[in-house]
Amino acid sequence: MTNAHGARRHRIPSDDLAELIKEFGLEDVVDRRHLADRLMNVNWQLATPRGTFALKRIMDVPLDSLRRNLAVLPALAEAGIPVIVPVVGSSGGVVVEVGESGYCLFRWAQGVSMNESSRETTAAAAYSDGKGASTASDGAI
């Protein structure tokens, strides 16, 4: 990957952003910050009149698989499991396709992102204790 390609990868095309603002009813994006910390997808923190959000451009799974995976989050939240539920767009879906990209949006959650090795260590320790695996998120799940 060239530096120019890398820079484009971390940019939200203005047409995509305009469509996402409309689809998710964000009114406007007053500030955005690319989140570069070892994440599988391209992620941004968006500041809007409706609050702060985490926007993900999906790069690691087919969009149909993502839709299936995200569909379970509301049930987990209703069961009292602390998860961030995706924002539903005006079309009724949680994955919005703009051009050749798929995006999803979450309300921002404060926290610290764990690096891969600490995630594996935490999951292994929790499993060996019989408590099940747990992870922390910086809101950009």
Side-chain angles (χ1 to χ4, degrees), residues 42-54:
V42 184
N43 298 272
W44 297 271
Q45 180 185 42
L46 304 180
T48 79
R50 289 193 44 223
T52 304
F53 296 87

Side-chain angles (χ1 to χ4, degrees), residues 7-133:
R8 282 192 309 268
R9 180 179 186 271
H10 298 111
R11 227 177 97 310
I12 307 172
S14 58
D15 290 346
D16 286 15
L17 185 58
E19 182 65 27
L20 293 165
I21 289 169
K22 180 180 172 185
E23 177 67 23
F24 288 117
L26 297 177
E27 299 174 24
D28 191 15
V29 172
V30 295
D31 192 26
R32 65 179 174 246
R33 179 174 63 94
H34 174 254
L35 304 171
D37 293 339
R38 293 174 250 146
L39 301 169
M40 294 179 285
N41 298 295
V42 184
N43 298 272
W44 297 271
Q45 180 185 42
L46 304 180
T48 79
R50 289 193 44 223
T52 304
F53 296 87
L55 175 69
K56 298 173 61 105
R57 180 188 303 143
I58 308 307
M59 314 272 298
D60 65 337
V61 297
L63 297 182
D64 286 340
S65 296
L66 177 66
R67 285 182 183 94
R68 182 200 66 221
N69 295 346
L70 294 177
V72 74
L73 294 178
L76 293 174
E78 286 177 27
I81 297 171
V83 296
I84 308 299
V85 177
V87 175
V88 177
S90 63
S91 63
V94 296
V95 176
V96 174
E97 294 182 58
V98 180
E100 296 182 18
S101 297
Y103 296 89
C104 54
L105 187 74
F106 300 85
R107 286 223 164 257
W108 187 259
Q110 294 300 321
V112 177
S113 179
M114 298 171 63
N115 66 35
E116 192 63 33
S117 63
S118 64
R119 259 195 302 267
E120 291 170 6
T121 302
T122 301
Y127 181 77
S128 67
D129 290 343
K131 297 177 184 170

